[in-house]
Amino acid sequence: MGRAPCCSKVGLQRGPWTSREDTLLINYIQAHGEGHWRSLPKKAGLLRCGKSCRLRWMNYLRPDIKRGNITPDEDDLIIRLHSLLGNRWSLIAGRLPGRTDNEIKNYWNSHLGKRVKNTKAGNNSHRIRKRKQRELDNEIGEAAAAKIKIHLPKATRVSPSSVAKNININIQRMMGSSSSHENMDDYADWGISGLELASNDGEAWAFNGEEFAGLVHDHDSTCPSSLPDDIMLGDIFEEYQELLKQDDHGQFDSLIIA
DNA sequence: AACCAAATCAACCGCCATGGC
DNA sequence: CGCCATGGCGGTTGATTTGGT
């Protein structure tokens, strides 16, 4: 016997929402606020499950939602964030005001994913791959490169607290541009069990703590002398943006395995 | 005009993290 | 500490729309 459904589906409406249902939901939330999704439908007079109500509100009815007309800037940002974060649609959406994870996910699947794939296919020559590999080797050192293991990690759920705990790696330093740091055990102390750098097709470079430590020890690469516990993704993002500004010669691209 | 295939996207599903008890 | 309810996430489905022949 399988897991019990999130809510009883008996007698519940499914499929596309009607304007009347939308109105009921909007009116209820305006009067009582968001939350308590499980009990909301009954109170609002809706024959929907709570999850369905939440999804409808979050993705379509919220007043601050922008829909359609994704600008070239947003387009570009999505691609870059996806290369950094992988399929963390909610994190990506969090960086695009008014956009929802569902919209971005759909947009990626129907537009960007293919485009990125095609772009990659265009770069698929042996020579280019060789050049990219050389750049990569220069960037992090042959010894380090030999140690990198490439995984296809299971997508990990990231909550704000876990972001703070687990992703407080400074990407710029990670890429080796600042002060040196001897003791990578500090990373373990910060609770970092893994780090992923995703390539354009969503595959990720995953370093577990040990590999990462080994990578830096072996190569005497660089990393922060300290990282405060409260670095949030937003901080990383800001630095990422700074990096992008400096990325005139495809520095990031050199980290993408073609 | 009719048909079909491909593209799009709203909605659903199952899983998991978190917090309260 | 374990259980449960809840919210939130990413993956997938399927109805609808669009484009090509």
Side-chain angles (χ1 to χ4, degrees), chain A residues 12 36 66 70 117 161 229 234 240 251:
Chain A
L12 291 185
H36 304 103
K66 265 193 276 180
I70 291 185
K117 204 169 185 176
S161 57
D229 285 334
Y240 174 57
Q251 185 184 0

Side-chain angles (χ1 to χ4, degrees), chain A residues 62 64-67 69-82 85 88-105 107-108 112 233 237 241:
Chain A
R62 272 189 315 180
D64 55 334
I65 295 283
K66 265 193 276 180
R67 312 227 42 241
N69 297 325
I70 291 185
T71 66
D73 282 350
E74 289 176 312
D75 191 290
D76 183 58
L77 187 56
I78 292 168
I79 293 172
R80 288 172 179 271
L81 285 171
H82 186 271
L85 300 168
R88 271 56 174 261
W89 305 117
S90 61
L91 287 178
I92 295 172
R95 292 291 157 192
L96 290 152
R99 300 296 181 187
T100 68
D101 55 352
N102 208 34
E103 183 177 23
I104 288 168
K105 179 173 58 183
Y107 187 68
W108 178 271
L112 301 180
L233 187 63
F237 179 76
Q241 283 193 312

Side-chain angles (χ1 to χ4, degrees), chain A residues 123-209:
Chain A
N123 288 342
N124 207 21
S125 76
H126 184 64
R127 192 171 54 84
I128 290 172
R129 270 180 296 164
K130 276 281 192 188
R131 183 172 58 79
K132 282 183 181 289
Q133 186 60 50
R134 269 202 307 278
E135 289 168 0
L136 172 65
D137 289 348
N138 289 339
E139 191 71 37
I140 59 179
E142 285 181 16
K147 274 199 167 268
I148 291 175
K149 293 179 184 175
I150 298 173
H151 303 268
L152 289 176
K154 189 174 185 297
T156 321
R157 192 173 308 283
V158 181
S159 65
S161 57
S162 63
V163 167
K165 272 190 205 162
N166 295 328
I167 316 185
N168 59 359
I169 286 228
N170 177 313
I171 298 296
Q172 183 171 1
R173 289 157 182 156
M174 162 75 194
M175 292 171 72
S177 62
S178 67
S179 62
S180 70
H181 183 277
E182 295 292 319
N183 188 3
M184 285 304 300
D185 289 341
D186 287 357
Y187 283 108
D189 293 340
W190 298 328
I192 295 168
S193 58
L195 172 71
E196 299 167 10
L197 285 179
S199 65
N200 274 353
D201 60 357
E203 291 176 353
W205 299 19
F207 302 81
N208 67 31

